[in-house]
Amino acid sequence: MTAAGSAPGRVRILVHALARPGPPVLALGVARCLRAARPHLDLSFLAFRGGPMEAALSSLGPVRVVLDDEEPWDVRGPDRRRADVLTASLAELPPVDVNLLVSVAAGQVLPLVPQDLGPVVTWAVEIGEDLHWLDDPVGLADRTDRWWAGSSTTLAELERRLPGARIEVIPEFVEDPPTVPSEARSAARRALGADQGDLLVVGAGIGTYRKGLDLFVETAIAHRRSGGEAVFAWIGGERDPLPRLLREDLLRPEFDHIRILPSVADLDPHLAAADVLLHPARLDAFPLVCIQSALVGTPVVGFQGAGGLAEMFGPEAQLAPYPDVRALSEVLQRTLEPARRRAVGAAQASWVRARSTASVAGPRLAAALADVADAGRPGSAR
């Protein structure tokens, strides 16, 4: 335990995977924020699955990956012999002052780890179907000592799902905005298939129905049919089935303005290269990629009533009613106009810089972690 009011000395950050955007990016931002504030913090990571972000996290503390790459796993009926092997391999995990689960999906590792790891904080950053880990047999509700919600959007749903639980809003954030050199921006435009004079609309994320990759394609088609001229490039999701299903259709000549491209190690230059980020998700609690885009000066367009964009951008949100693709195309076209694009980009950047960056939101998270460490494992917090 730490002295009253002091920062925790040992923090373990748990994530579901290191291969996709969203919670892993949030975990990295949290870790860098904590490390900058306390260079000698005993910081470690436990990932249920690995991925390319492991190298970045390893520079901040030891990373333990549970499953072999691409190994199948069914939490409702795991292979018992394999589960026993994994449980034995994790039996010597030491207790820490705080175990921070970044997303409810990180809870799938709980059946494999010891009970006495120290206080467990579950920082929920999901809504809708992605909250199924609350019901799945991983012991998340029983093992959680503190509940955090990453946004008011998530809080409202958690309160319905966990009646009587004490839930605190600890806002999600990204690292403070980078400076993207002009040459990196130009290289990213070329990689995305845009010539110097082209308008470029980018989407980014996993290639799932929920993230709306198909709606990105439909919006691109609607935009072209209405007379718009822009290149549309979606980044990521290459391991998901939806991009593979769409690629064959996109070989048709009338869709030559649409590309689906693999994930990139550094998304910021690609966001900065775009004229607009189109985020057509059907459901997304508080998409961090939209904050990243705004902070590099690229305005964001998406759906109203499909998640947290209205909360994220307040009066600066550029939204169409879900799921009206034609209306979304019209909002996109207005936002692509040069003067409006500059004005919206500047307004959105100012809004999120004051609310959703590490320098603003990080201290609140650090104080909340210290509170958990000081309190130990209070049963009343469940």
Side-chain angles (χ1 to χ4, degrees):
M1 291 290 293
T2 56
S6 66
R10 299 164 299 167
V11 174
R12 180 184 292 118
I13 296 177
L14 294 85
V15 291
H16 70 284
L18 301 176
R20 293 181 168 183
V25 171
L26 179 57
L28 179 60
V30 168
R32 284 177 172 162
C33 181
L34 294 175
R35 177 64 76 206
R38 299 193 67 225
H40 302 295
L41 174 68
D42 184 352
L43 185 62
S44 61
F45 305 90
L46 182 63
F48 191 65
R49 292 187 180 277
M53 289 187 63
E54 183 175 347
L57 290 175
S58 294
S59 68
L60 300 166
V63 179
R64 181 76 173 268
V65 177
V66 177
L67 287 188
D68 296 335
D69 193 33
E70 304 294 333
E71 181 178 355
W73 192 260
D74 180 0
V75 296
R76 296 178 181 86
D79 180 281
R80 202 62 260 159
R81 294 175 64 182
R82 180 61 173 148
D84 289 344
V85 169
L86 294 173
T87 300
S89 72
L90 296 167
E92 295 183 3
L93 280 177
V96 294
D97 295 311
V98 183
N99 294 277
L100 176 61
L101 276 64
V102 181
S103 84
V104 296
Q108 60 194 293
V109 76
L110 292 176
L112 304 173
V113 299
Q115 291 282 333
D116 56 348
L117 290 182
V120 172
V121 177
T122 297
W123 194 11
V125 296
E126 300 99 329
I127 55 176
E129 63 191 44
D130 286 345
L131 288 172
H132 67 84
W133 296 107
L134 297 175
D135 305 315
D136 285 333
V138 297
L140 185 60
D142 292 336
R143 296 285 293 269
T144 296
D145 297 291
R146 295 285 184 94
W147 292 99
W148 294 352
S151 64
S152 297
T153 304
T154 294
L155 174 66
E157 191 155 347
L158 279 185
E159 287 179 333
R160 292 194 297 270
R161 301 285 296 269
L162 299 168
R166 191 179 84 184
I167 308 166
E168 182 179 3
V169 174
I170 302 296
E172 297 176 58
F173 59 88
V174 301
E175 297 179 74
D176 289 296
T179 298
V180 179
S182 59
E183 56 271 22
R185 186 183 296 111
S186 297
R189 282 185 66 85
R190 291 192 298 272
L192 294 170
D195 294 330
Q196 185 173 357
D198 290 334
L199 289 171
L200 176 60
V201 178
V202 165
I206 57 178
T208 63
Y209 180 80
R210 180 178 64 82
K211 284 289 188 180
L213 171 56
D214 57 320
L215 297 179
F216 180 86
V217 170
E218 288 185 29
T219 304
I221 294 169
H223 186 259
R224 170 67 64 88
R225 287 174 176 169
S226 68
E229 291 291 337
V231 171
F232 286 73
W234 180 278
I235 305 167
E238 61 271 18
R239 293 187 178 185
D240 297 304
L242 189 53
R244 294 194 292 269
L245 293 173
L246 290 170
R247 277 198 183 96
E248 185 173 346
D249 289 338
L250 295 181
L251 293 175
R252 292 159 56 183
E254 62 265 38
F255 301 146
D256 63 353
H257 63 304
I258 307 171
R259 298 100 166 84
I260 300 177
L261 304 168
S263 302
V264 295
D266 184 4
L267 195 56
D268 286 323
H270 297 76
L271 296 175
D275 294 292
V276 170
L277 176 74
L278 174 61
H279 190 76
R282 290 177 166 88
L283 200 65
D284 214 341
F286 206 73
L288 296 181
V289 67
C290 296
I291 302 176
Q292 289 177 265
S293 179
L295 288 173
V296 296
T298 299
V300 178
V301 168
F303 281 125
Q304 173 77 42
L309 287 183
E311 176 183 355
M312 179 180 289
F313 291 116
E316 312 306 334
Q318 305 298 307
L319 306 174
Y322 174 80
D324 191 335
V325 170
R326 181 175 295 180
L328 185 60
S329 173
E330 292 170 357
V331 173
L332 173 65
Q333 182 59 38
R334 290 196 298 271
T335 309
L336 282 169
E337 295 170 3
R340 182 166 179 80
R341 185 170 73 237
R342 290 190 293 271
V344 171
Q348 288 185 345
S350 177
W351 186 267
V352 298
R353 189 176 290 116
R355 293 163 174 81
S356 302
T357 56
S359 57
V360 174
R364 181 171 175 180
L365 178 137
L369 283 176
D371 181 60
V372 176
D374 291 340
R377 295 180 59 88
S380 61
R382 292 182 177 171

